[in-house]
Every structure is written in structure tokens, then in C-alpha cells.
Amino acid sequence: MSAITRDEVAHLARLSRLALADEELDHFAAQLDVIIGAVARVAEVAADDIPPSSHALPLTNVYRPDEVRPGLTPEQALAGAPAVEDDRFRVPRILGEEA
Amino acid sequence: MSLTHKTAAELGALIASGEVSAVEVAQAHLDRIAAVEPQVNAFLHVDAETTLEQARTVDARRAAGERLGPLAGVPIAHKDVFTTADMPTTAGSKILEGWRPPYDATVTRRLREAGLVILGKTNLDEFAMGSSTENSAYGPTRNPWDLSRIPGGSSGGSSAAVAAYEAPLSTGTDTGGSIRQPAAVTGIVGMKPTYGGSSRYGLIAFASSLDTPGPFARNVMDAALLQEAFSGHDPLDSTSIDAPVPSVVEAARQGDVAGLRIGVVKEFGGEGYQPGVLARFHETVELLESLGAKVVEVSCPSFTVALPAYYLIAPSECSSNLARFDAMRYGLRVGDDGTRSAEDVMALTRAAGFGPEVKRRIILGTYALSSGYYDAYYGQAQKVRTLIARDFEAAFGQVDVLVSPTTPTTAFPIGERADDPMAMYLADLCTIPANMAGNAAISVPCGLADEDGLPVGLQIMAPVLGDDRCYRVAAAVENALESRWGGALLSKAPAL
């Protein structure tokens, strides 16, 4: 049985906002099947009573004082934008209304 | 000896004494880059005028009587994953082609403050995902030892630039081995500092709990000088460690292992390892014993599942980190013809802007984090991570450092593993545990494999904040082997 189907890969690609071509989906589905089969080895480790680590360091939240500091100017912030209008990022329509 | 073949420490001293100017040193390296880049392709961006301007500034500061550090005026190649306000930053991806960041990374800023002269930005696997630099959207970098082979990855442009004498120093980032493995296969020194010891601010994120900036150099002392120049607490990085650290430069100067307890990791070696790699490794362990170290075998059973756990954790973090490339605020945007929704433009842009390995990892990470799979994959991988840290803890109760081969094979031919992700992932088999637990680890050259005459690296792993131990042992190995060889391993590389 395969670890992951082509339909599942297509679903994950949609969730990841990746508009993959059909041949890409075929290719990735085969490769991901092999990769997932290999990484599934983590299940062999008996770890029921082991706490998970998200991080290497025993740090929790680190805060700085909440002080007003200079940030980027609008020109700097917009310098790399694909499209700009009236000192703002210009984006394609976000809601489902007619264009 | 030409300026390009001197060590960083030598160059710093020559510039400090006024024997040569920073401009002369920079020009010599720009000339070398112009001569060998057509073969090596280590750089994505070189701008002679910006480089010379930095060098002129260092010369002017010195002429004005300013006291400068040991690396002032020394050129450096900078991995193109650190933001630079005066140079484009692409992370090796089409999605950031031509992007100019509005600010400098902390590592970049500290290089400038130390007076290092940035020659340009080096090639890498896209978003630092890979072990060969073949995943760059801008073409592969070639190994100076054999131009048909990979220079390692993801920091392959940085390793090749130093091995090809285009720069005496370079920066890298190491998430699963991306400094140590390229250093090993190009015959140079590469160090992954303790996680949190060097700042991630302005480093384009791949897997935030693992990403660690570190140095490349042609010898241990130069690597220590560079690490000391850009490391230390940074309030802009919330995982930066605010604690005093032992001097790595002092440790590199000591270079003695008498009485030190060295553990050989039992789980690394055997099937899947190239015989020539194992032969050099075992010889080097014997060498350490002859230098007065006490060598024992140490078992770290969970290291055998470090690779699968890593390929769940790193893609999970990457799938989240790379969500910022949304075609709205910076970078590429395709398909915005006035009829498509933001979501469609986003999906088209990401499909066009990311390469295959990045897409594979985003999908894999999204899968591992999916409801229904989370506990079995991401959750279980995090438990394995705890077990790896415990194995290290137990090991460092018995020994001062652990050693292994850095990577199971020497540099493989370009193209050999390009469409076989699992084969590619095996290059990081021995380097991943130190990332998972945040430990310090270094790779130092230990000889050439008999089969192919290519460089082999010794990995030395130390506890968290034990970076000095890595340098101490690496310097001892380097001193002993270079006196045996009559010079650096790199002097055996064919001339370009």
C-alpha cells in the first residue's frame, strides 16, 4: 500500500497554495511516497512517556520593553513590492466579489 | 605567496602593519574571482565597486588612527541567505530574484563592524534546502577539487569560494549539516556553533529551531576568528543565548588534547559509508589517541532515527516559514491579470517561483502537520528529538567530545542524486543530531579517500556552549596532520 496517494498530494498542494501541473503531481506523489515511507521509521521508537521537544534550548517567551522605536519608512517597506498604489501594497482581489 | 593564498589572520596582520592595503587585498581577490568563477560558479553576486568602497573605508579608518580588530580589511564571501541592504539577496530562489532587503542581518552588520570586506553573495541550495547546491535556481556550484562534482550544500558557494582561494573566509548556515558537509567535501574547516550562539536576525528562515549561522575557513584559527567576530548575544533574535561563552580563538591557539576523553559514536560507520572515508576517520582517531586523548566507544541509539525525525521537523517548520512568500509584499508575482483572486495569484507565483525540492518539503511539512497525522509524524519526531538530546547528555557524562565522519561519502558527481531525494538526504546522516539538540560541531579535514583522492572530514561534536572544545580538538588534529602532510590538505588540490 502506498503511504500517500496522488489525490492527497493534490490536496496538500492546494492547502500549500502551490498550483502544481499534472506531471509535477505525478512526480511528487511517487517521490513523497518513498520519503514518507522512510520518515515513518520514527514510529518504531517507543516514546509514549517521552516529552516532545520543539526546540533545543530551554527558553520560553523572551520579551523586550514595549517602547516606540523607529521602523522602516513607507518607501523602504514598499521598495520590494510587486505593485504599489497610494503608499500601500496593491494586491489582487481578496474577497469573492466580481472583478 | 600571493595574497589570495594567505590565511585570514596573515592578511589581517599585513593590513594592520601597513605592508598592504585593504584595497590591494580586495583587488587581488576580485581578480581571482574573475579568473576562476567561470569554472566554479560560487557567487551569485559580485560588485567590485561596492567591495572596493568597503576596503577604502577600512584603509581610511586605519589612517585616521582607529584601532581595528584582527580581521579588519580581510575579504569574505557571504552566503546569499543573509540580508544585505547594499546587495541583492535571493536565497538561491527565483521567487526573490533581484530583491534588495531594506535592512542588514545581524551577522552582516557585525562583519561590517569588524571591518571585513564583503566580496559578494554566494550560491546555495534554494532556501538552504539541499546537500549539493544543485537546488539553486541559478545553476550548480562546482567543487574546486573536481569540477564534475558537487561542493556540498546547502552552503556550497561558500565552501567552494574558500577552497578555490576566491575568499579566505565565508559565512554559512547549518540546519542539518549545511556548513559541515560542504566543508568536509571541499577540504576546508566549517563550524556549526551552538544554536543560539550566532544570531538568526536577517537570516531568511528555513527551519527556525535548527538554523545556525557559522564560519568557513581554510584553517581552524581563521574559523575561530570569524566566529568570534559575528557571534554573541543579539536582542533582535529571541532565541539568542545571553550568557558568557569561552573564547574559541584561545581554544584554537591551545590545540591540545592530552587527557581529553573522546567518544567514537558507535552508530556512525559501516554499511553505506565509503571505505576511504572510514579509513581516514579511524586513522585520525588513532592519531588523537597518540596525542594523549583517551578514546572510548559511545553508543547513542536514537541517532539512528535522527534523519527521519529531521525530515519531519525541518519540512514542517519550512512549510510554515515559507508561507510568507505570498506575492503580495515583495518578490515575484505572476498571473495578476486583473481577473484572478489573490489566492490564485499566490498559488501561481509559488508554483513558478519555488524549485522542486522546496515544493517537496512544503508538501511534506504540510502533511506532517495535518490533523490526523500530526501525532504520528511531527509529534513523534519531537519526541525523538528529546531522545537525541538525552543521548548527547549521557554521552557527555562519559566523554568531553564525540567524533564521527562528517559525511558518509566524498563529493559525489553533479546529477548523481539530483532526482533521488532520499539518497541526497543521506549526506546529512552524521551531522543532523547536533542540530536536533543544538550542540556545537565542527568539520576539519582529515585526509583524502584512497578510491577517489577527494577530501574527507572529521566531525567533532561538543555540548551546548562547548564550542571551544570543537576548536581545541580540531586545532590539534590540524597541527598533527599538517606536519605529517607538510602543509594544508588544500595544497594537494589541483590548480584551477
Side-chain angles (χ1 to χ4, degrees):
Chain A
M1 198 190 92
S2 59
I4 191 165
T5 66
R6 187 183 185 281
D7 284 352
E8 283 177 291
V9 174
H11 176 63
L12 292 165
R14 267 194 304 280
L15 292 177
S16 316
R17 303 290 180 268
L18 289 168
L20 299 187
D22 280 349
E23 50 283 16
E24 264 182 308
L25 275 178
D26 293 336
H27 200 56
F28 287 155
Q31 286 176 330
L32 286 164
D33 190 50
V34 174
I35 295 169
I36 290 169
V39 297
R41 275 188 54 220
V42 294
E44 293 166 15
V45 179
D48 283 349
D49 53 346
I50 304 296
S53 302
S54 61
H55 215 267
L57 300 174
L59 286 170
T60 45
N61 291 333
V62 176
Y63 297 109
R64 62 170 169 77
D66 185 15
E67 289 160 357
V68 177
R69 298 184 304 182
L72 297 178
T73 64
E75 291 73 27
Q76 287 173 320
L78 294 166
V84 174
E85 192 177 307
D86 297 337
D87 256 6
R88 293 180 178 87
F89 296 103
R90 191 185 180 284
V91 301
R93 70 183 163 81
I94 291 166
L95 301 174
E97 83 273 30
E98 290 300 306
Chain B
M1 193 189 278
S2 75
L3 290 173
T4 53
H5 284 54
K6 293 192 180 302
T7 69
E10 286 167 350
L11 289 172
L14 285 171
I15 297 166
S17 70
E19 275 179 70
V20 294
S21 67
V23 168
E24 285 172 89
V25 173
Q27 189 59 56
H29 286 87
L30 289 168
D31 292 346
R32 174 74 180 171
I33 289 170
V36 304
E37 266 303 271
Q39 298 171 75
V40 180
N41 193 36
F43 285 89
L44 293 176
H45 176 82
V46 178
D47 171 6
E49 198 31 58
T50 306
T51 298
L52 292 171
E53 186 50 43
Q54 297 171 63
R56 280 192 286 269
T57 303
V58 171
D59 286 335
R61 282 166 71 186
R62 191 172 314 276
E66 205 178 319
R67 262 187 73 86
L68 299 174
L71 297 178
V74 176
I76 186 164
H78 201 20
K79 187 175 182 181
D80 199 25
V81 74
F82 293 100
T83 56
T84 45
D86 59 350
M87 295 175 198
T89 301
T90 68
S93 181
K94 285 285 177 207
I95 213 161
L96 282 178
E97 189 165 17
W99 181 57
R100 252 171 215 269
Y103 65 94
D104 273 344
T106 294
V107 168
T108 306
R109 180 170 56 77
R110 289 189 177 162
L111 296 180
R112 296 189 202 281
E113 284 167 1
L116 282 145
V117 173
I118 301 174
L119 291 163
K121 304 297 286 292
T122 56
N123 200 11
L124 66 156
D125 285 301
E126 186 176 4
F127 289 106
M129 298 177 198
S131 305
S132 69
T133 316
E134 292 167 287
N135 296 333
S136 168
Y138 304 98
T141 296
R142 295 171 182 279
N143 190 322
W145 287 79
D146 175 346
L147 295 168
S148 72
R149 289 174 188 261
I150 59 108
S154 65
S155 314
S158 289
S159 64
V162 168
Y165 300 95
E166 295 175 90
L169 299 170
S170 62
T171 59
T173 58
D174 191 313
T175 303
S178 281
I179 292 174
R180 289 160 287 161
Q181 182 258 4
V185 300
T186 56
I188 64 172
V189 177
M191 170 77 180
K192 184 201 93 69
T194 294
Y195 178 83
S198 48
S199 171
R200 291 184 296 108
Y201 180 74
L203 160 62
I204 297 175
F206 156 22
S208 306
S209 79
L210 304 161
D211 297 340
T212 312
F216 285 101
R218 287 192 293 265
N219 67 76
V220 174
M221 176 54 81
D222 282 0
L225 287 166
L226 178 55
Q227 178 167 334
E228 211 145 276
F230 68 61
S231 299
H233 181 241
D234 177 17
L236 297 173
D237 173 356
S238 63
T239 58
S240 172
I241 298 174
D242 191 5
V245 290
S247 165
V248 292
V249 171
E250 196 41 52
R253 199 167 282 134
Q254 276 177 355
D256 117 67
V257 293
L260 209 71
R261 298 166 304 165
I262 295 179
V264 175
V265 181
K266 186 180 148 210
E267 283 73 15
F268 290 150
E271 203 186 328
Y273 290 74
Q274 194 176 317
V277 168
L278 291 178
R280 293 296 88 82
F281 171 67
H282 292 306
E283 276 171 22
T284 311
V285 170
E286 281 167 27
L287 173 75
L288 284 164
E289 213 161 13
S290 75
L291 295 172
K294 189 174 178 302
V295 175
V296 294
E297 193 177 71
V298 174
S299 177
C300 298
S302 60
F303 285 15
T304 58
V305 281
L307 186 89
Y310 173 87
Y311 277 100
L312 289 163
I313 289 171
S316 294
E317 294 189 24
C318 114
S319 69
S320 166
N321 271 324
L322 269 60
R324 71 185 48 142
F325 298 100
D326 58 8
M328 301 299 136
R329 296 156 299 155
Y330 49 85
L332 186 71
R333 178 187 290 181
V334 301
D336 184 14
D337 60 1
T339 69
R340 289 196 177 94
S341 70
E343 241 179 62
D344 287 345
V345 168
M346 206 180 288
L348 287 169
T349 301
R350 287 161 63 82
F354 291 142
E357 180 63 16
V358 172
K359 291 175 185 170
R360 270 193 295 270
R361 293 201 195 188
I362 289 173
I363 294 171
L364 181 60
T366 305
Y367 175 75
L369 293 173
S370 301
S371 143
Y373 295 112
Y374 183 98
D375 289 340
Y377 291 112
Y378 184 65
Q380 180 74 3
Q382 286 189 311
K383 292 179 174 185
V384 169
R385 192 168 185 177
T386 304
L387 291 172
I388 291 166
R390 288 182 183 178
D391 277 359
F392 270 122
E393 213 173 299
F396 290 128
Q398 303 169 56
V399 296
D400 299 301
V401 296
L402 291 169
V403 293
S404 76
T406 304
T407 184
T409 69
T410 56
F412 44 88
I414 290 173
E416 186 184 85
R417 305 186 189 179
D419 209 33
D420 185 352
M422 276 319 298
M424 187 71 86
Y425 297 169
L426 287 174
D428 291 337
L429 192 62
C430 309
T431 45
I432 282 172
N435 296 87
M436 299 285 264
N439 297 56
I442 199 167
S443 179
V444 64
C446 68
L448 302 176
D450 295 326
E451 305 86 10
D452 50 24
L454 291 168
V456 177
L458 170 77
Q459 176 178 230
I460 302 149
M461 295 173 275
V464 167
L465 292 178
D467 301 45
D468 58 319
R469 292 189 200 172
C470 293
Y471 281 102
R472 188 177 152 194
V473 177
V477 169
E478 181 180 80
N479 291 339
L481 286 177
E482 290 195 356
S483 64
R484 186 180 288 179
W485 298 330
L489 186 70
L490 203 56
S491 63
K492 298 174 194 284
L496 285 172

